[in-house]
């Protein structure tokens, strides 16, 4: 009989054995669920969040929102094919992408409407007619500024 040491492990003191079911797991390894992976979905989510944050710009809202939507659908497709494990990230990216694009479109429409309401078309016509004459361009700018101030000044009757 050879003198062998017991295999490494966490053993209770002699005579103090655990009851059945309380034995330490063999090998000392803990089974943990795999971490969620969906790189395309994560990229889509980041772009969607940036799209919402920058929805006041056309590039930020519409472009980033649309890219997030496309990548979100790619991520959902990979999730359905079981090559990605977190489809919720892609779904949230799709929703936020739509929100970013829609919000940006609404803001652009409202901005153009307000610009036209204060005489924006007259300003663009004036600038076009002024050509490269900087004095005429400055006069157009001053007139437009005065129109805006007159329209939104509370002391001036409409």
């Amino acid at each position: 009989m050879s003198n062998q040491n017991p295999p490494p492990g966490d053993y209770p003191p002699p005579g103090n054995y655990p009851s059945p079911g309380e034995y330490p797991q063999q090998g000392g390894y803990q089974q943990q669920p795999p971490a969620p992976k969906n790189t395309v979905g994560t990229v889509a989510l980041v772009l969607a969040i940036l799209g919402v944050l920058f929805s006041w710009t056309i590039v930020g809202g519409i472009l980033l929102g649309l890219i997030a939507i496309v990548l979100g659908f790619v991520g959902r497709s990979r999730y359905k094919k079981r090559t990605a494990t977190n489809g919720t990230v892609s779904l949230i990216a799709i929703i936020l992408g739509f929100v970013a694009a829609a919000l940006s479109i609404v803001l652009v429409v409202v901005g153009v409407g307000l610009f036209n309401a204060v005489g924006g078309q007259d300003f663009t016509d004036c600038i076009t007619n002024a050509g490269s004459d900087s004095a005429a361009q400055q006069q157009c700018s001053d007139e437009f500024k005065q129109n805006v101030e007159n329209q939104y000044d509370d002391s001036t009757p409409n």
Side-chain angles (χ1 to χ4, degrees):
M1 181 180 235
S2 66
N3 189 4
Q4 292 181 349
N5 290 333
D10 188 20
Y11 298 104
N16 189 10
Y17 297 107
S19 61
E22 292 181 3
Y23 286 97
Q25 189 174 2
Q26 294 295 327
Y29 297 108
Q30 293 284 337
Q31 287 289 348
Q32 293 184 1
K37 66 174 187 176
N38 192 348
T39 305
V40 175
T42 304
V43 170
L45 182 61
V46 169
L47 291 176
I49 291 170
L50 288 174
V52 170
L53 290 176
F54 293 103
S55 61
W56 53 273
T57 67
I58 293 174
V59 172
I62 296 174
L63 188 61
L64 291 178
L66 291 177
I67 293 171
I69 292 168
V70 170
L71 290 178
F73 278 115
V74 170
R76 285 296 287 176
S77 172
R78 289 184 178 179
Y79 171 71
K80 289 178 181 178
K81 292 176 185 175
R82 305 234 184 253
T83 58
T85 58
N86 193 349
T88 307
V89 171
S90 297
L91 182 61
I92 293 171
I94 292 168
I95 293 168
L96 285 178
F98 275 117
V99 168
L103 185 60
S104 185
I105 290 169
V106 166
L107 289 175
V108 167
V109 168
V110 168
V112 168
L114 287 174
F115 181 71
N116 287 334
V118 295
Q121 188 62 44
D122 294 337
F123 173 70
T124 55
D125 291 343
C126 182
I127 290 290
T128 301
N129 293 336
S132 61
D133 183 2
S134 60
Q137 290 175 349
Q138 184 61 43
Q139 182 180 357
C140 294
S141 178
D142 292 340
E143 288 175 6
F144 179 69
K145 181 179 175 187
Q146 190 61 44
N147 285 342
V148 171
E149 288 174 356
N150 289 343
Q151 188 149 0
Y152 291 104
D153 187 11
D154 292 336
S155 63
T156 307
N158 290 337

